[in-house]
Amino acid sequence: DAGVTQSPTHLIKTRGQQVTLRCSPKSGHDTVSWYQQALGQGPQFIFQYYEEEERQRGNFPDRFSGHQFPNYSSELNVNALLLGDSALYLCASNEDRKDNYGYTFGSGTRLTVV
Amino acid sequence: LAKTTQPISMDSYEGQEVNITCSHNNIATNDYITWYQQFPSQGPRFIIQGYKTKVTNEVASLFIPADRKSSTLSLPRVSLSDTAVYYCLVDPGNTPLVFGKGTRLSVIA
């Protein structure tokens, strides 16, 4: 049973560009959450998608947007990249928050903005 | 903001038992206590969850006193592969996970 799959694993972008990160949730999971993890920090919640809609959002600017598809997969888009957007972006899936330990994380996408 | 406080780092020798204590003075009645483990360049991985008293699984034990204002994650006989960051979280299970900085455990041979 495949866990959470994220692509690409690594990405280098130039300041001002736009980037799209992708996530396929664990089989049976219908909710996807995105986190940003800067070096030496804990993951910070960006937003959560359920039934193709953004259900909750953390303290991130509108440059961060997302989408969830009918097959529950999700994309994270970041526009007008800043150097400070360099981080590990993590996707987590679960089954509509039935249990805390239902969260399964992917290995992340390492984004470097130069 | 994270609702927990835990040591920034800990060192241990292989084979020893490691106890990481987490403070959560403002824990709510319906909050659960959950611990995650994270290796470099990987996503966090669920270790254990509890509400009160003691919970044990094949990886760790979680001790929660009656007032639930703190909890202790116990890792028996650690090995080098247990070197990781350990996060303590409290939430009711219907909100996104809020991570603090975690505890960086270094296991020394």
Side-chain angles (χ1 to χ4, degrees), chain A residues 11-19 80-87 110-114:
Chain A
L11 199 56
I12 299 175
K13 287 288 189 178
T14 303
R15 189 172 48 184
Q17 284 188 318
Q18 178 264 344
V19 68
L81 284 167
L82 304 173
L83 297 179
D85 294 330
S86 295
R110 172 72 63 186
L111 173 65
T112 301
V113 182
V114 297

Side-chain angles (χ1 to χ4, degrees), chain A residues 10 33 35 37 40-45 48 56 88 90 96-108 110, chain B residues 32-34 36 38 41-46 49 87 89-101 104:
Chain A
H10 295 82
S33 302
Y35 289 80
Q37 186 172 27
Q41 305 294 316
Q44 299 299 304
F45 173 69
Q48 183 180 81
Q56 294 192 58
L88 180 67
L90 295 163
D96 192 22
R97 293 297 275 130
K98 285 189 175 180
D99 298 291
N100 282 3
Y101 56 81
Y103 275 110
T104 301
F105 282 81
S107 294
R110 172 72 63 186
Chain B
Y32 285 81
I33 300 158
T34 311
Y36 280 79
Q38 186 178 25
S41 297
Q42 293 188 27
R45 181 178 73 100
F46 168 85
Q49 181 187 64
Y87 296 97
L89 292 82
V90 295
D91 81 305
N94 58 2
T95 58
L97 300 177
V98 177
F99 290 85
K101 293 187 176 181
R104 186 172 300 276

Side-chain angles (χ1 to χ4, degrees), chain A residues 31 42 52 68:
Chain A
T31 303
E52 303 180 48
Q68 185 180 34

Side-chain angles (χ1 to χ4, degrees), chain B residues 2-62:
Chain B
K3 298 186 286 186
T4 62
T5 302
Q6 50 184 125
I8 293 177
S9 64
M10 294 181 68
D11 294 332
S12 177
Y13 287 100
E14 274 192 297
Q16 289 188 329
E17 178 184 75
V18 171
N19 296 309
I20 305 175
T21 297
C22 177
S23 296
H24 27 81
N25 292 319
N26 297 319
I27 190 169
T29 302
N30 55 347
D31 280 342
Y32 285 81
I33 300 158
T34 311
W35 286 80
Y36 280 79
Q37 174 193 55
Q38 186 178 25
F39 298 113
S41 297
Q42 293 188 27
R45 181 178 73 100
F46 168 85
I47 300 176
I48 198 167
Q49 181 187 64
Y51 184 81
K52 60 181 179 181
T53 63
K54 176 184 175 182
V55 179
T56 297
N57 61 22
E58 65 278 5
V59 176
S61 294
L62 178 60

